[in-house]
Amino acid sequence: AGGFLRDLFQCAVAADDLDFIFKCGGGNLVPWLFKVAEGRGWPTKKKINQHDKQTRFDYVAVGKGKMKFSGHPIGSGCEGEFAMNTLLYDIKNAVVIDPTGF
């Protein structure tokens, strides 16, 4: 949630999208997130595996266009996207973590 939190703290402006990385494999969490979103009638975006045409569980997006929540589980190859300008939120301990130390 780096860009969203950074913009909120620095500029007092809320961004229009949230990007997350999950500290888990996507096998259980991503299908659950899709089920909850679809059950509430929220728009979702799924990525399809080019080889077998099955839904990939290394990405989830809920919302439309830039007005969305999207995320990847750790190990999906998208961790570099979160290496700069990143703030972390520890949901277990309810704290914001700034790995840069600022």
Side-chain angles (χ1 to χ4, degrees):
F4 178 84
L5 292 174
R6 180 198 59 235
D7 293 348
L8 188 61
F9 289 135
Q10 279 187 333
C11 310
V13 174
D16 56 1
D17 72 326
L18 295 170
D19 300 311
F20 289 88
I21 193 157
F22 308 117
K23 189 179 174 182
C24 67
N28 292 324
L29 179 62
V30 171
W32 180 81
L33 288 169
F34 279 126
K35 182 179 177 181
V36 169
E38 290 168 350
R40 294 177 182 221
W42 299 339
T44 61
K45 179 181 177 189
K46 299 177 181 179
K47 289 190 177 179
I48 304 297
N49 184 311
Q50 295 177 8
H51 300 292
D52 62 12
K53 307 299 182 210
Q54 298 295 313
T55 299
R56 290 175 32 189
F57 291 113
D58 61 349
Y59 174 80
V60 60
V62 177
K64 288 183 181 179
K66 290 291 287 175
M67 299 290 291
K68 72 178 184 319
F69 155 96
S70 62
H72 303 270
I74 286 180
S76 63
C78 296
E79 293 83 359
E81 219 177 296
F82 297 88
M84 301 289 291
N85 294 322
T86 297
L87 293 174
L88 307 172
Y89 184 72
D90 179 341
I91 59 174
K92 183 177 180 182
N93 297 303
V95 295
V96 175
I97 301 166
D98 180 354
T100 67
F102 288 102

